[in-house]
Amino acid sequence: MEVIVMRKARSILATLLLAAVTIHVLWIAVAPLVPYLVSSFVVVLVLGFIYHRMTRW
């Protein structure tokens, strides 16, 4: 019985470790792009606001 519990705990820990490594690698890939994403989001918001102001009744 204890062997099954230990095996299950080890499996859960291995899954958590794999998830943590995956998230870390994704963050390393995405982190350099964050300033570009934020600035492009701001540009789209400003253009959308201008379009809204120009085309409303």
Side-chain angles (χ1 to χ4, degrees), residues 2-4 6 9 14-16 20-23 25-27 29 32-34 36-37 41 45 47-49 53 55 57:
E2 292 178 6
V3 174
I4 296 172
M6 287 298 293
T15 304
L16 287 175
V21 169
T22 304
I23 291 171
V25 168
L26 284 174
W27 177 249
L33 302 176
V34 169
Y36 300 109
L37 292 173
F41 181 68
L45 277 179
L47 291 177
F49 180 73
R53 294 286 299 220
T55 58
W57 288 84

Side-chain angles (χ1 to χ4, degrees), residues 1-43:
M1 188 70 178
E2 292 178 6
V3 174
I4 296 172
V5 172
M6 287 298 293
R7 190 175 298 154
K8 191 170 185 178
R10 190 177 297 129
S11 173
I12 291 172
L13 286 174
T15 304
L16 287 175
L17 181 65
L18 182 63
V21 169
T22 304
I23 291 171
H24 184 67
V25 168
L26 284 174
W27 177 249
I28 289 174
V30 171
L33 302 176
V34 169
Y36 300 109
L37 292 173
V38 171
S39 59
S40 61
F41 181 68
V42 168
V43 167

